[in-house]
Amino acid sequence: MMEKNEHMEQIEQPETASVADPVDVPSTEAEPVKLGGVSEPAPPPPSGRTGFRFSCKIVALSAPNSIQAESFGSLQTHLKAKHIGDGRRSLAICAATHGVGTTYVSVNLAMTFALAGLNTMLIDANMRDPGLEDYIAPDKVQLGLRQCLGDSEVDLGDAIQADIFPNLSLIYSGGIAPNPQELLASRRMTELLDACLRDFDVTIVDTPPGNTSADARRVAMAVRYAMIVAKKNDSYVTDVKLLANELASDRATVIGTFLNDF
């Protein structure tokens, strides 16, 4: 973890690790390439499954050459070598406070893994203030984590939206639940995570902020590994350290902190 002299000093992000402000989405028209002197259209970019709309906030798709996308690419490369390469194929994305961008990081990291060829599962475990639909919007209401965990009649597979993009599947939150802690601590949640670990190369789980509930701690304890997201000039070192200590007390391994500036 990062250390500061002032306990209440805001976290500042080094320029080399910055994730810049969102940029305009470039044109989707493919540039022609010349083969033997003859212009040929470039291959089209990968496209998602019919029935799902992808936000321009997914910078790996909308701005693949941007600083943001390069930052996620670097993070993916590091995690693939140092985390997934060691057999640790699940990761809870956590934050100490609201508004630092856990969903932004979760979605972009999952998409970057998928583009790198890893079969990826993305789970929205925030059943208090779901955000995945803001990035990947379904054309109709889908079953999600709430229904899967709370209704024994719903099979685990019914909540999985398979291959909504090449190498990327996801589970929506299923809406706001009245008892999210109880659902996340259930045996069905353990069974779901076990199935994801069995069937996917990497599983990314988005969680609510740690200062509003114990949901993130429950998820991290089940997943066993967590990465904390902090926001430049917004997050406080004391808050991040407190969350890291709480996760460690639950026997979840904090693999690092991602400083976000978006």
Side-chain angles (χ1 to χ4, degrees):
M1 295 297 299
M2 298 160 295
E3 298 288 340
K4 289 277 186 180
N5 292 329
E6 297 291 339
H7 284 299
M8 292 303 293
E9 185 172 355
Q10 292 175 322
I11 293 176
E12 296 182 356
Q13 181 176 2
E15 184 175 352
T16 55
S18 174
V19 180
D21 292 336
V23 297
D24 293 335
V25 179
S27 171
T28 56
E29 296 182 2
E31 294 291 333
V33 296
K34 291 186 178 180
L35 300 175
V38 179
S39 295
E40 295 287 345
S47 59
R49 200 178 88 190
T50 301
F52 296 87
R53 290 170 285 114
F54 294 79
S55 167
C56 64
K57 292 182 288 187
I58 306 178
V59 294
L61 295 180
S62 64
N65 297 320
S66 65
I67 296 175
Q68 303 105 305
E70 290 178 0
S71 295
F72 286 112
S74 297
L75 177 61
Q76 179 270 139
T77 300
H78 176 78
L79 291 176
K80 185 177 180 181
K82 302 295 184 180
H83 185 69
I84 298 171
D86 292 336
R88 299 174 289 185
R89 297 185 294 111
S90 57
L91 188 62
I93 308 299
C94 306
T97 57
H98 177 75
V100 302
T102 54
T103 305
Y104 174 79
V105 172
S106 297
V107 174
N108 277 283
L109 180 58
M111 181 61 74
T112 305
F113 274 124
L115 290 170
L118 277 71
N119 190 19
T120 304
M121 166 60 74
L122 173 62
I123 301 174
D124 186 353
N126 188 346
M127 291 181 282
R128 297 177 185 272
D129 185 19
L132 180 53
E133 292 90 343
D134 294 336
Y135 290 80
I136 304 174
D139 287 346
K140 59 182 180 180
V141 176
Q142 304 287 347
L143 293 175
L145 192 63
R146 178 171 65 89
Q147 293 79 17
C148 175
L149 301 181
D151 187 347
S152 60
E153 299 297 320
V154 177
D155 292 332
L156 298 178
D158 293 339
I160 297 176
Q161 306 303 319
D163 296 320
I164 57 104
F165 190 88
N167 298 315
L168 179 62
S169 300
L170 57 81
I171 298 176
Y172 289 106
S173 69
I176 297 175
N179 57 339
Q181 288 192 39
E182 177 183 338
L183 295 177
L184 293 172
S186 67
R187 181 177 178 179
R188 292 271 289 180
M189 181 65 175
T190 301
E191 293 173 350
L192 174 63
L193 291 174
D194 288 344
C196 291
L197 288 173
R198 182 183 64 245
D199 297 336
F200 295 89
D201 297 325
V202 57
T203 299
I204 304 295
V205 187
D206 185 28
T207 67
N211 69 340
T212 61
S213 70
D215 294 4
R217 295 176 61 179
R218 290 187 180 275
V219 172
M221 183 166 53
V223 172
R224 296 178 55 197
Y225 302 99
M227 183 178 72
I228 298 176
V229 178
K231 187 175 180 181
K232 179 183 177 182
N233 297 329
D234 189 85
S235 297
Y236 290 92
V237 173
T238 48
D239 293 334
V240 174
K241 291 179 69 174
L242 176 61
L243 177 60
N245 290 336
E246 291 175 341
L247 294 173
S249 70
D250 293 330
R251 298 184 180 180
T253 299
V254 179
I255 67 166
T257 302
F258 184 81
L259 294 179
N260 190 24
D261 179 18
F262 65 96

